[in-house]
Amino acid sequence: MRVIIVKDYKEMSRRAAEVVANRIGKKPDLVLGLATGSTPVGMYSELIRMHKEEGLDFSKVRSFNLDEYCGLSSDHPQSYHYFMHDKLFNHINIRPENIYIPIGDVENANISCQWYEKKIKEEGGIDLQILGIGRDGHIGFNEPGSSLGSRTRIKTLTKETIEDNARFFKKREEVPLYGITMGLGTISEARECLLLASGTNKTEAIQKSIEGPVSAEITASLLQLHPRAIIIIDEEASQNLRQKDYYRYTEKMAEKLERK
Ligand code: GLP
């Protein structure tokens, strides 16, 4: 695991966008796994800037989103379909036919989930998966107790997740009770993972994910088993890390090696 500690949200967003741009540079038809939530918004803004000012080209990129709420239509302002178009897709040159987002249709859940898994395979698998993290340590909507080998499926959201996400809705009662999410097995198969976190409300989840035991209780801890996981966090989110100084030192040493 590569843990990169930066000053603040802005720096986290910039560094994350650089990783994405670098991978697109190396592979223009990159299969990019995307995340929602407030955390990646700054990275999306930076990618839009890079597209407009520096010609970052998304015309061959294919994208798969991690998750979606069940029961919200794709034009619902709080759906992840809407979010992704609003925050990224409408402002870059990605082709609509290359965008994949799970369909949160509970009645046809099995078909929808199997189709999503099949599509990821058909496109060659995810090259780089972007991840945020919930306060309870979840990635996607893989709430505590999710099987570490799980595939795309419907998950019941925890009270904590519903409360956290209520800020995007007019009333708490409007937050869907279920989400459709790539499983932890699906995420593990991405060739590279990039997890972002910012702010003090992520401090505990980050410490447990990076330094705690690998467990289904903190599903982001699964990244400890991933051969290529990068974690970019700001000062606030890194506050409780026991090995913080070592992570900083490692990054400095890695930079020195790169310069040689
Ligand atoms: C939701 C999403 C996650 C996201 C999490 C954190 O539960 N399903 O993918 O990581 O929220 O959101 P935020 O970045 O707003 O803290």
Side-chain angles (χ1 to χ4, degrees):
M1 251 188 318
R2 183 172 170 196
V3 181
I4 305 175
I5 302 168
V6 296
K7 195 167 130 256
D8 53 18
Y9 179 81
K10 202 172 164 207
E11 178 74 0
M12 177 200 77
S13 305
R14 195 182 58 74
R15 289 288 292 267
E18 276 170 13
V19 174
V20 176
N22 172 281
R23 303 307 186 263
I24 296 174
K26 286 183 181 155
K27 187 182 177 199
D29 62 344
L30 194 80
V31 180
L32 187 54
L34 294 171
T36 51
S38 50
T39 307
V41 171
M43 179 191 77
Y44 292 149
S45 303
E46 179 61 9
L47 288 172
I48 294 168
R49 190 201 64 72
M50 287 171 154
H51 166 67
K52 294 198 165 139
E53 293 175 15
E54 297 164 14
L56 180 61
D57 183 14
F58 290 85
S59 63
K60 295 195 179 87
V61 169
R62 290 147 302 153
S63 75
F64 283 89
N65 261 80
L66 270 176
D67 50 12
E68 176 59 292
Y69 286 116
C70 289
L72 298 189
S73 60
S74 52
D75 57 353
H76 189 290
Q78 265 68 47
S79 74
Y80 288 165
H81 276 76
Y82 188 97
F83 175 98
M84 286 309 303
H85 285 84
D86 185 44
K87 304 289 183 224
L88 182 67
F89 299 146
N90 290 348
H91 314 283
I92 57 174
N93 64 336
I94 190 164
R95 289 172 198 259
E97 63 269 30
N98 287 344
I99 297 171
Y100 299 95
I101 304 176
I103 297 161
D105 177 349
V106 195
E107 276 168 31
N108 298 306
N110 283 342
I111 301 169
S112 173
C113 296
Q114 281 166 18
W115 176 83
Y116 206 63
E117 289 279 335
K118 195 169 144 246
K119 208 66 215 168
I120 293 173
K121 284 209 174 77
E122 276 172 16
E123 295 292 332
I126 293 168
D127 290 305
L128 174 65
Q129 177 64 56
I130 308 298
L131 298 163
I133 185 169
R135 259 196 312 143
D136 60 6
H138 73 235
I139 46 178
F141 271 137
N142 291 286
E143 299 284 31
S146 293
S147 155
L148 299 183
S150 52
R151 313 302 307 187
T152 303
R153 72 216 182 287
I154 304 277
K155 276 300 288 181
T156 305
L157 306 184
T158 60
K159 284 194 179 136
E160 201 175 17
T161 297
I162 291 173
E163 266 152 36
D164 284 349
N165 292 348
R167 67 188 194 277
F168 299 111
F169 292 79
K170 280 195 202 107
K171 287 191 219 138
R172 188 189 185 279
E173 297 72 57
E174 287 177 13
V175 186
L177 304 177
Y178 304 95
I180 178 169
T181 181
M182 276 186 204
L184 295 169
T186 324
I187 294 169
S188 320
E189 284 167 14
R191 291 178 192 97
E192 190 174 19
C193 287
L194 173 58
L195 182 135
L196 310 177
S198 160
T200 48
N201 64 343
K202 300 293 169 67
T203 304
E204 202 186 327
I206 281 296
Q207 195 280 327
K208 288 183 175 161
S209 304
I210 299 176
E211 298 180 332
V214 174
S215 93
E217 202 190 330
I218 302 287
T219 57
S221 65
L222 178 74
L223 293 181
Q224 293 179 36
L225 299 175
H226 199 283
R228 278 172 70 92
I230 305 178
I231 296 172
I232 308 183
I233 48 179
D234 68 4
E235 280 290 349
E236 289 186 343
S238 73
Q239 265 171 38
N240 287 3
L241 288 174
R242 289 191 289 267
Q243 301 293 335
K244 196 170 163 179
D245 292 343
Y246 177 63
Y247 304 138
R248 286 190 191 286
Y249 172 70
T250 313
E251 273 311 298
K252 267 201 194 128
M253 296 305 277
E255 275 167 28
K256 267 190 193 170
L257 274 183
E258 274 162 24
R259 260 186 254 126
K260 270 187 187 167

